[in-house]
Coordinates of all heavy atoms in Angstrom, one line a residue:
D1259 N 1.6 0.9 2.9 CA 1.9 1.9 1.8 C 0.8 2.1 0.9 O 0.9 3.0 -0.1 CB 3.2 1.5 1.1 CG 4.4 1.5 2.0 OD1 4.4 2.3 3.0 OD2 5.4 0.9 1.7
L1260 N -0.3 1.4 1.0 CA -1.5 1.6 0.2 C -2.4 2.5 1.0 O -3.0 2.1 2.0 CB -2.2 0.3 -0.2 CG -3.5 0.5 -0.9 CD1 -3.3 1.1 -2.3 CD2 -4.2 -0.9 -1.1
D1261 N -2.6 3.7 0.6 CA -3.5 4.7 1.3 C -4.9 4.3 1.0 O -5.3 4.4 -0.2 CB -3.1 6.1 0.8 CG -3.9 7.2 1.6 OD1 -4.8 6.8 2.3 OD2 -3.5 8.3 1.4
P1262 N -5.7 4.0 2.0 CA -7.1 3.7 1.8 C -8.1 4.8 1.6 O -9.3 4.6 1.5 CB -7.5 2.9 3.0 CG -6.6 3.5 4.1 CD -5.4 4.0 3.4
E1263 N -7.6 6.0 1.5 CA -8.4 7.2 1.6 C -9.6 7.2 0.5 O -10.7 7.6 0.8 CB -7.6 8.5 1.3 CG -8.4 9.8 1.3 CD -7.6 11.0 1.0 OE1 -6.3 10.9 0.8 OE2 -8.2 12.1 0.9
Y1264 N -9.3 6.7 -0.7 CA -10.3 6.8 -1.7 C -11.1 5.5 -1.9 O -12.0 5.4 -2.8 CB -9.6 7.1 -3.1 CG -8.8 8.4 -3.1 CD1 -7.4 8.4 -3.1 CD2 -9.4 9.6 -3.0 CE1 -6.7 9.6 -3.1 CE2 -8.7 10.8 -3.0 CZ -7.4 10.8 -3.0 OH -6.7 12.0 -3.0
I1265 N -10.8 4.5 -1.1 CA -11.4 3.2 -1.3 C -12.8 3.2 -0.7 O -13.0 3.5 0.5 CB -10.6 2.1 -0.7 CG1 -9.2 2.0 -1.4 CG2 -11.3 0.7 -0.8 CD1 -8.3 1.0 -0.7
Q1266 N -13.8 2.9 -1.5 CA -15.2 3.0 -1.1 C -15.7 1.7 -0.5 O -16.6 1.7 0.4 CB -16.1 3.4 -2.3 CG -15.9 4.7 -2.9 CD -16.7 4.8 -4.1 OE1 -16.1 4.8 -5.2 NE2 -18.0 5.0 -4.0
A1267 N -15.2 0.6 -0.9 CA -15.8 -0.7 -0.5 C -14.7 -1.8 -0.6 O -13.8 -1.7 -1.4 CB -17.0 -1.1 -1.4
Y1268 N -14.9 -2.8 0.3 CA -13.9 -3.9 0.3 C -14.7 -5.2 0.1 O -15.8 -5.4 0.6 CB -13.3 -3.9 1.7 CG -12.4 -2.7 2.0 CD1 -13.0 -1.6 2.5 CD2 -11.0 -2.7 1.7 CE1 -12.2 -0.4 2.7 CE2 -10.3 -1.6 2.0 CZ -10.9 -0.5 2.5 OH -10.1 0.7 2.8
F1269 N -14.1 -6.1 -0.7 CA -14.7 -7.4 -1.0 C -13.8 -8.5 -0.6 O -12.6 -8.6 -1.0 CB -15.0 -7.4 -2.5 CG -16.1 -6.5 -2.9 CD1 -15.8 -5.1 -3.2 CD2 -17.4 -6.8 -2.9 CE1 -16.7 -4.2 -3.5 CE2 -18.4 -5.9 -3.2 CZ -18.1 -4.6 -3.5
R1270 N -14.3 -9.3 0.3 CA -13.5 -10.4 0.9 C -13.8 -11.7 0.2 O -14.9 -12.0 0.0 CB -13.8 -10.5 2.4 CG -13.4 -9.2 3.2 CD -13.9 -9.2 4.6 NE -13.4 -8.1 5.4 CZ -13.8 -7.8 6.6 NH1 -14.8 -8.5 7.1 NH2 -13.3 -6.8 7.2
K1271 N -12.7 -12.5 0.0 CA -12.9 -13.7 -0.8 C -12.1 -14.9 -0.1 O -11.1 -14.6 0.6 CB -12.5 -13.6 -2.2 CG -11.0 -13.1 -2.4 CD -10.8 -12.7 -3.9 CE -9.4 -12.2 -4.1 NZ -8.3 -13.2 -3.9
G1272 N -12.6 -16.1 -0.4 CA -11.8 -17.2 0.1 C -12.0 -17.7 1.5 O -11.2 -18.4 2.0
Q1273 N -13.1 -17.3 2.1 CA -13.3 -17.7 3.5 C -13.2 -19.2 3.7 O -12.5 -19.6 4.6 CB -14.7 -17.2 4.0 CG -14.8 -15.7 4.2 CD -15.2 -14.9 3.0 OE1 -15.0 -15.4 1.9 NE2 -15.7 -13.7 3.2
Y1274 N -13.9 -19.9 2.9 CA -13.9 -21.4 3.1 C -13.6 -22.2 1.8 O -13.8 -23.3 1.7 CB -15.3 -21.8 3.6 CG -15.7 -21.2 4.9 CD1 -16.5 -20.1 5.0 CD2 -15.1 -21.7 6.1 CE1 -16.8 -19.5 6.2 CE2 -15.4 -21.1 7.3 CZ -16.3 -20.1 7.4 OH -16.6 -19.5 8.6
T1275 N -12.9 -21.5 0.9 CA -12.4 -22.2 -0.3 C -11.3 -21.3 -0.9 O -11.1 -20.2 -0.6 CB -13.6 -22.3 -1.3 OG1 -13.2 -23.1 -2.4 CG2 -14.1 -21.0 -1.8
A1276 N -10.6 -21.9 -1.9 CA -9.7 -21.1 -2.7 C -10.5 -20.1 -3.5 O -11.6 -20.4 -4.0 CB -8.9 -22.0 -3.6
A1277 N -10.0 -18.9 -3.6 CA -10.7 -17.9 -4.4 C -9.6 -16.9 -4.9 O -9.0 -16.3 -4.2 CB -11.7 -17.2 -3.5
Y1278 N -9.5 -16.9 -6.2 CA -8.5 -16.0 -6.9 C -9.2 -14.8 -7.4 O -8.6 -13.7 -7.3 CB -7.8 -16.8 -8.0 CG -7.0 -18.0 -7.5 CD1 -7.5 -19.3 -7.5 CD2 -5.7 -17.8 -7.0 CE1 -6.7 -20.3 -7.1 CE2 -5.0 -18.8 -6.5 CZ -5.5 -20.1 -6.6 OH -4.7 -21.2 -6.1
S1279 N -10.3 -14.9 -7.9 CA -11.0 -13.7 -8.5 C -11.7 -12.8 -7.5 O -12.4 -13.3 -6.6 CB -12.0 -14.2 -9.6 OG -12.8 -13.1 -10.0
G1280 N -11.5 -11.5 -7.7 CA -12.3 -10.6 -6.8 C -13.8 -10.7 -7.0 O -14.5 -10.3 -6.1
F1281 N -14.2 -11.3 -8.1 CA -15.6 -11.5 -8.3 C -16.2 -12.6 -7.5 O -17.4 -12.9 -7.5 CB -15.9 -11.7 -9.8 CG -15.8 -10.4 -10.6 CD1 -14.6 -9.9 -11.0 CD2 -17.0 -9.7 -10.8 CE1 -14.5 -8.8 -11.7 CE2 -16.9 -8.5 -11.5 CZ -15.7 -8.0 -12.0
E1282 N -15.4 -13.3 -6.7 CA -15.8 -14.3 -5.8 C -16.0 -13.7 -4.4 O -16.4 -14.3 -3.4 CB -14.8 -15.5 -5.7 CG -14.7 -16.2 -7.0 CD -13.6 -17.3 -6.9 OE1 -13.9 -18.4 -6.3 OE2 -12.5 -17.1 -7.4
G1283 N -15.6 -12.4 -4.3 CA -15.7 -11.7 -3.0 C -17.0 -11.2 -2.6 O -17.9 -11.0 -3.5
I1284 N -17.3 -11.0 -1.3 CA -18.5 -10.4 -0.9 C -18.2 -9.1 -0.1 O -17.1 -9.0 0.5 CB -19.3 -11.4 0.0 CG1 -18.5 -11.8 1.2 CG2 -19.8 -12.6 -0.8 CD1 -19.3 -12.7 2.2

Side-chain angles (χ1 to χ4, degrees):
D1259 292 339
L1260 175 63
D1261 187 345
E1263 177 182 359
Y1264 302 110
I1265 299 174
Q1266 294 172 255
Y1268 297 83
F1269 294 84
R1270 296 170 174 171
K1271 58 189 176 68
Q1273 286 89 338
Y1274 297 103
T1275 185
Y1278 296 98
S1279 171
F1281 284 84
E1282 298 176 76
I1284 58 175

